[in-house]
Amino acid sequence: MRTRLFSLFAATALLSAPFAASALLLDDFQDDQLVAIGIGPPNPREAFNTVAALLGDREIFLERTGGFGAASADANMTEAGVFSLSTGPGVVASAALTWGGFGLADVTGAGTSEFLELSVRSDLDAVVTVNFLSGGATSSATFNITGTGTGAGDPFQFRNVALADLVGGADLTNVDGISLLISGPASLDLQIGVLRTVQTPVPEPGTLALVGLGLAGLAHSSRRRA
């Protein structure tokens, strides 16, 4: 029984510990930045803003492609340390974030990073594409985000892809630009908390659920034996 209880304690400690060792933090969206498109024609309508961010200069480019209501994109203003994209009823808009002016970056963390990871939450299904640019080549990953809400109690989804699985031929040890593209339906509310490369990614919610079920079973077995 002591062995089982020790195993339960160790597993619980592992579950509560940080999972992702960050090798290169691309952006944590702590720098204030606001882009907004108000009511009225014409369509398409565009707006952009650039600030000095964590990695070089970050530009937010917002394009309203449908409807005549409001759309906005901001970093660290709707919520601290979060990028937010919001569109009004009937309004369709897309956002492009680009980072440049930082010289050359090794997104593999000098060989220590194996995954690209971002944390995101959205009230509706959306698509987020991340591109790494090196010279004239591009390597990219596309994430299909499931809408689960953006309220105070709604968790961020941690999504990741192995750097080896990126599509394209960019040299990830000599990246000279990064872009993040967001598209979705009207009335979209989407937030991104962090963009980084890591050695060990945060497990998907489904993986955490399986671990939780295993711990619950172990605890139940220990109680029955006691």
Side-chain angles (χ1 to χ4, degrees), residues 24-29 99 116-119 130 132 178-180 192-197:
L24 179 61
L25 185 58
L26 303 177
D27 208 333
D28 57 3
F29 303 106
W99 293 264
L116 165 67
E117 180 177 78
L118 76 157
S119 64
V130 182
F132 293 109
I178 301 169
S179 69
L180 187 152
I192 296 176
V194 68
L195 177 66
R196 61 192 175 191
T197 63

Side-chain angles (χ1 to χ4, degrees), residues 18-212:
F19 283 92
S22 180
L24 179 61
L25 185 58
L26 303 177
D27 208 333
D28 57 3
F29 303 106
Q30 297 289 337
D31 306 283
D32 292 355
Q33 187 177 9
L34 173 65
V35 180
I37 295 177
I39 296 173
N43 256 345
R45 191 171 179 182
E46 304 167 349
F48 69 92
N49 185 15
T50 304
V51 300
L54 192 62
L55 183 65
D57 297 324
R58 182 212 302 129
E59 178 185 272
I60 300 177
F61 177 85
L62 179 64
E63 181 179 17
R64 190 187 64 200
T65 56
F68 296 100
S72 65
D74 69 76
N76 199 48
M77 301 184 79
T78 298
E79 184 173 334
V82 169
F83 167 80
S84 300
L85 170 65
S86 298
T87 59
V91 176
V92 179
S94 62
L97 286 74
T98 58
W99 293 264
F102 53 79
L104 297 177
D106 179 2
V107 300
T108 69
T112 62
S113 289
E114 296 183 5
F115 295 88
L116 165 67
E117 180 177 78
L118 76 157
S119 64
V120 59
R121 64 184 182 183
S122 179
D123 63 340
L124 300 173
D125 292 354
V127 177
V128 176
T129 300
V130 182
N131 300 302
F132 293 109
L133 314 175
S134 179
T138 302
S139 288
S140 62
T142 297
F143 302 91
N144 294 309
I145 307 303
T146 302
T148 57
T150 54
D154 296 320
F156 281 83
Q157 306 173 43
F158 279 86
R159 308 298 297 273
N160 62 75
V161 63
L163 293 177
D165 292 337
L166 295 178
V167 177
D171 181 0
L172 299 182
T173 66
N174 289 280
V175 170
D176 53 31
I178 301 169
S179 69
L180 187 152
L181 311 176
I182 304 170
S183 59
S187 301
L188 177 66
D189 184 8
L190 180 144
Q191 298 178 327
I192 296 176
V194 68
L195 177 66
R196 61 192 175 191
T197 63
V198 296
Q199 176 68 22
T200 306
V202 172
E204 291 286 347
T207 302
L208 289 175
L210 289 175
V211 174

